[in-house]
Amino acid sequence: MPDAHIESFEWPCSHEWGPQDIEAECRLEASSRLQIPALDLALDYEVQRAPDGQLWVRVWTCRQTQLNAQTVQMHSLGLQLRVVTAYSHL
């Protein structure tokens, strides 16, 4: 997927957050940044620990409609979409 379709950001996590909390906070933050409803987002994230012990989350997100369009395009070619990667990650 073209980089222009994917938003990416990083921010600190609270040590008290569990996996479900992290995903919910990522979705809320992405929704706020993109100004679209959280349910309209496709989202991936990765939690990392800084050398000082602080947890950080790196988030990649796009509109679910963009992901759906990619899925339909791949299906029309007889392919099954399993992974979406930004051009910059290739």
Side-chain angles (χ1 to χ4, degrees), residues 8 12 29 43-44 48 52 71 74 76 83:
S8 175
E29 183 67 19
L43 183 89
D44 191 17
Q48 301 172 344
D52 66 0
T71 302
M74 293 297 111
S76 71
V83 175

Side-chain angles (χ1 to χ4, degrees), residues 3-56:
D3 290 338
H5 293 192
I6 297 177
E7 294 289 327
S8 175
F9 59 90
E10 294 181 359
W11 54 289
C13 296
S14 171
H15 287 286
E16 294 83 32
W17 291 351
Q20 292 175 336
D21 301 317
I22 292 172
E23 182 170 352
E25 292 294 334
C26 288
R27 196 164 287 283
L28 289 172
E29 183 67 19
S31 174
S32 175
R33 289 175 184 238
L34 296 176
Q35 296 296 299
I36 61 174
L39 293 175
D40 292 341
L41 294 173
L43 183 89
D44 191 17
Y45 63 92
E46 178 180 83
V47 178
Q48 301 172 344
R49 185 177 305 272
D52 66 0
Q54 173 67 48
L55 294 177
W56 285 83

